[in-house]
Amino acid sequence: MHGGVDGGVNEVSGVGCSLEWKFSQVFGERAVGEEVQEVDIISAIEFDKCGDHLATGDRGGRVVLFERTDTKDHGIPRKDLERTDSSIGRHPEFRYKTEFQSHEPEFDYLKSLEIEEKINKIRWCQTANSSLFLLSTNDKTIKFWKVQEKKVKKISDMNMDATKAAGNGCAAKSCSKPHLSNGGYADKFSSSLNGLSFPPEGIASLHLPVVTSKETSLVARCRRVYAHAHDYHINSISNNSDGETFISADDLRINLWNLEISNESFNIVDVKPRNMEDLTEVITSAEFHPSHCNTLAYSSSKGSIRLIDLRQSALCDSHAKLFEEQDVPSSRSFFTEIIASISDVKFARDGRYMLSRDYMTLKLWDTNMDSGPVATFQVHEHLKPKLCDLYENDSIFDKFECCLSGNGQRVATGSYSNLFRVFGCAPGSTDAATLEASKNPMRRQVQTPSRPSRSLSSITRVVRRGSEGPRVDSNGNSFDFTTKLLHLAWHPSENSIACAAANSLYMYYA
């Protein structure tokens, strides 16, 4: 299912055997026939660097955090998990940790523009003092969040005997004059009380509240808001390896921020022409190199990836390297430029390779070789005859994400009918799997997958475009464009994938 792998891929060594993927967990699974609310659809997924936490964002502006529990419950060191998985059947387990409202819908009165609360990207920052830090962004505003445990202080029972309090109306109702052990009242000792002196036998019924802090709760606090720096919709944010800066990218510009400074940023890439009629391409994705703080890559709607070096100049108008695959003139069509647009670009963990996703394929690039991709994986080859239909129902503009395994030996991306595909990218590897976001991911895809309830307009659109035939062909390729798996993430150190199907988060392991 994939093209030849160039011999230059030498660090992605070893031809691994095919993995057997299994269902692990699901969060937010909908019942049969249940209609999914638009605000509940997941729009971003991200593991933290150690893989102990997972964050999702949705179209309603909420961020939900999940925490890994299997290492805590069973006391298995993380380095031994891969060894024990095969022997005792253990797999990563996560639990719901907390959620908070990150963004609210806004209205820009100067531009008469409604700004959605939808979370476009989430990126984890370095942890400190057991607190979690992350960045989240919608179309216009980036926010820096701190999530920490805080002890909840409560007033415990007062130092009184509950049985006596029940029969003592005065004590239960908090008399204004405390009763003394000798039968007298406090007014007899008012002068002594003012002088802080008490009778020798003490005041037996004086009730003193005690403050205790037994419970802990998670509190999310917005530390900083980075706003008013983008005229166009933000499509990417990425942390720098220096732990101090990050970038944000929209269609025409990339800005560099310091985490501690929210009122100014530096424009490092600007592709806006003087005359907007001369605009030929836009920025679609951007990411920092995982270890070189001066290097970043950004992709464009023309199918190219540019590697830039921040040491060359303050405004990086010129790129250090350009990665693009030349089209064969005879194969060009009306849809060529549309399907060439790169929707996502990711660095491998070692920084040597980059993975890009366009509408039809996944491409693996060697940063030392800009003549072309070292591997191409066909994802939507079966959709070539249907490009007209895809264009008319706007599916051709869907932006699928991609991800790499921590060891760089496998890549993954999503497709339609809530399917996702995993490919081996080591030299000579034939490892390829197509799975469905369900509790039985490896079931035969020749069966018609269950479809969520759809609005009348979407049903009419599907029928009108001539999709009456079988929705899945004999090879398991889907033609159901109403369900799509756009967002997924690979665990940084294990063969575990989290992916989103509408409002449900599915976890798989191998």
Side-chain angles (χ1 to χ4, degrees):
M1 294 179 69
H2 61 84
V5 182
D6 192 279
V9 188
N10 48 25
E11 289 189 13
V12 190
S13 58
V15 182
C17 59
S18 297
L19 295 178
E20 182 184 355
W21 289 93
K22 299 176 182 177
F23 168 79
S24 173
Q25 290 175 282
V26 60
F27 297 94
E29 187 178 38
R30 62 182 181 273
V32 178
E34 179 186 352
E35 188 172 352
V36 179
Q37 299 297 318
E38 180 80 10
V39 293
D40 294 330
I41 295 177
I42 297 173
S43 57
I45 301 178
E46 185 79 5
F47 280 104
D48 67 355
K49 285 187 177 180
C50 62
D52 285 343
H53 293 91
L54 175 68
T56 65
D58 62 25
R59 295 187 182 181
R62 295 181 298 264
V63 172
V64 183
L65 303 185
F66 300 88
E67 181 181 41
R68 185 162 181 176
T69 59
D70 55 307
T71 52
K72 294 182 178 181
D73 295 343
H74 303 282
I76 302 176
R78 192 171 297 107
K79 64 181 179 180
D80 295 335
L81 279 175
E82 189 172 349
R83 177 175 56 80
T84 56
D85 277 357
S86 58
S87 58
I88 62 175
R90 182 150 321 286
H91 60 84
E93 294 177 2
F94 286 79
R95 70 172 176 87
Y96 169 85
K97 187 178 179 74
T98 189
E99 67 180 86
F100 56 90
Q101 189 71 33
S102 175
H103 287 73
E104 301 280 357
E106 301 175 41
F107 191 82
D108 188 335
Y109 292 97
L110 290 177
K111 298 181 179 179
S112 296
L113 181 67
E114 188 175 349
I115 302 171
E116 290 183 324
E117 65 270 35
K118 172 192 167 190
I119 305 296
N120 290 341
K121 292 289 180 183
I122 295 174
R123 290 292 180 264
W124 289 91
C125 303
Q126 294 179 351
T127 59
N129 300 325
S130 300
S131 298
L132 304 175
F133 296 89
L134 51 88
L135 290 166
S136 63
T137 184
N138 65 351
D139 286 341
K140 295 291 184 181
T141 305
I142 308 160
K143 294 186 179 182
F144 183 44
W145 291 91
K146 177 181 181 181
V147 181
Q148 64 179 147
E149 288 188 349
K150 287 209 169 182
K151 291 183 178 180
V152 179
K153 295 184 178 180
K154 291 187 175 181
I155 305 297
S156 69
D157 294 335
M158 298 183 182
N159 59 338
M160 59 183 290
D161 189 340
T163 57
K164 292 181 180 178
N168 187 348
C170 180
K173 296 177 182 177
S174 299
C175 287
S176 58
K177 296 181 179 180
H179 188 69
L180 304 183
S181 59
N182 60 2
Y185 288 92
D187 55 354
K188 294 182 179 180
F189 296 94
S190 57
S191 59
S192 299
L193 287 172
N194 291 335
L196 298 177
S197 61
F198 297 91
E201 62 273 19
I203 305 176
S205 299
L206 186 62
H207 310 314
L208 299 176
V210 180
V211 178
T212 58
S213 53
K214 295 180 180 178
E215 299 179 5
T216 58
S217 69
L218 284 163
V219 178
R221 186 164 64 92
C222 185
R223 295 284 303 274
R224 284 175 184 81
V225 177
Y226 313 90
H228 312 299
H230 288 277
D231 292 329
Y232 304 93
H233 292 174
I234 299 172
N235 56 51
S236 302
I237 51 175
S238 179
N239 303 91
N240 198 345
S241 57
D242 62 10
E244 297 179 357
T245 56
F246 71 94
I247 55 170
S248 59
D250 65 20
D251 292 341
L252 298 179
R253 292 188 176 95
I254 300 177
N255 294 332
L256 178 67
W257 301 82
N258 188 301
L259 281 169
E260 301 298 324
I261 303 171
S262 60
N263 58 358
E264 67 175 354
S265 62
F266 297 94
N267 179 222
I268 56 174
V269 175
D270 189 349
V271 299
K272 184 178 181 180
R274 290 187 176 180
N275 185 353
M276 285 296 285
E277 292 181 359
D278 298 331
L279 183 67
T280 59
E281 64 180 332
V282 296
I283 299 168
T284 56
S285 180
E287 181 165 298
F288 259 120
H289 190 281
S291 55
H292 297 165
C293 61
N294 57 283
T295 305
L296 63 93
Y298 71 90
S299 59
S300 80
S301 57
K302 274 195 170 182
S304 61
I305 302 173
R306 289 173 173 83
L307 208 62
I308 64 174
D309 191 337
L310 297 176
R311 297 171 298 183
Q312 289 183 345
S313 64
L315 184 61
C316 302
D317 290 327
S318 60
H319 50 267
K321 285 185 180 180
L322 175 65
F323 302 87
E324 61 182 356
E325 192 172 26
Q326 299 300 324
D327 289 329
V328 180
S330 59
S331 66
R332 290 186 63 84
S333 69
F334 172 78
F335 305 108
T336 299
E337 287 193 9
I338 299 175
I339 62 176
S341 177
I342 295 175
S343 55
D344 193 21
V345 63
K346 292 281 191 346
F347 275 101
R349 198 171 186 179
D350 61 1
R352 170 75 184 273
Y353 298 94
M354 296 182 296
L355 183 68
S356 67
R357 171 69 203 267
D358 55 47
Y359 189 73
M360 303 297 288
T361 64
L362 271 175
K363 291 186 176 74
L364 187 68
W365 307 81
D366 186 339
T367 55
N368 295 333
M369 190 176 76
D370 54 6
S371 57
V374 295
T376 299
F377 308 94
Q378 300 297 338
V379 181
H380 283 162
E381 186 73 13
H382 62 287
L383 296 180
K384 273 190 175 179
K386 292 184 170 288
L387 291 180
C388 243
D389 294 338
L390 292 163
Y391 178 77
E392 290 188 11
N393 63 23
D394 287 340
S395 294
I396 201 170
F397 301 106
D398 288 333
K399 300 183 184 304
F400 292 93
E401 294 179 358
C402 59
C403 58
L404 302 94
S405 61
N407 59 12
Q409 291 192 6
R410 289 175 177 84
V411 296
T413 191
S415 182
Y416 294 103
S417 269
N418 292 338
L419 302 181
F420 67 98
R421 304 185 182 224
V422 183
F423 302 96
C425 55
S429 173
T430 57
D431 184 12
T434 299
L435 303 98
E436 182 184 3
S438 72
K439 291 184 177 180
N440 188 8
M442 294 302 287
R443 68 180 174 212
R444 287 176 60 83
Q445 297 302 325
V446 293
Q447 300 173 357
T448 303
S450 58
R451 300 190 297 272
S453 57
R454 302 193 303 270
S455 63
L456 182 61
S457 60
S458 64
I459 294 174
T460 309
R461 183 178 67 245
V462 171
V463 173
R464 182 169 56 85
R465 299 305 173 199
S467 302
E468 297 92 336
R471 307 189 75 83
V472 179
D473 66 16
S474 58
N475 295 321
N477 294 319
S478 168
F479 298 117
D480 181 6
F481 308 127
T482 60
T483 56
K484 59 197 75 172
L485 197 152
L486 301 175
H487 312 285
L488 75 172
W490 202 302
H491 190 282
S493 59
E494 299 171 24
N495 286 323
S496 176
I497 294 177
C499 56
N503 67 319
S504 302
L505 175 67
Y506 287 91
M507 310 284 291
Y508 306 90
Y509 74 102

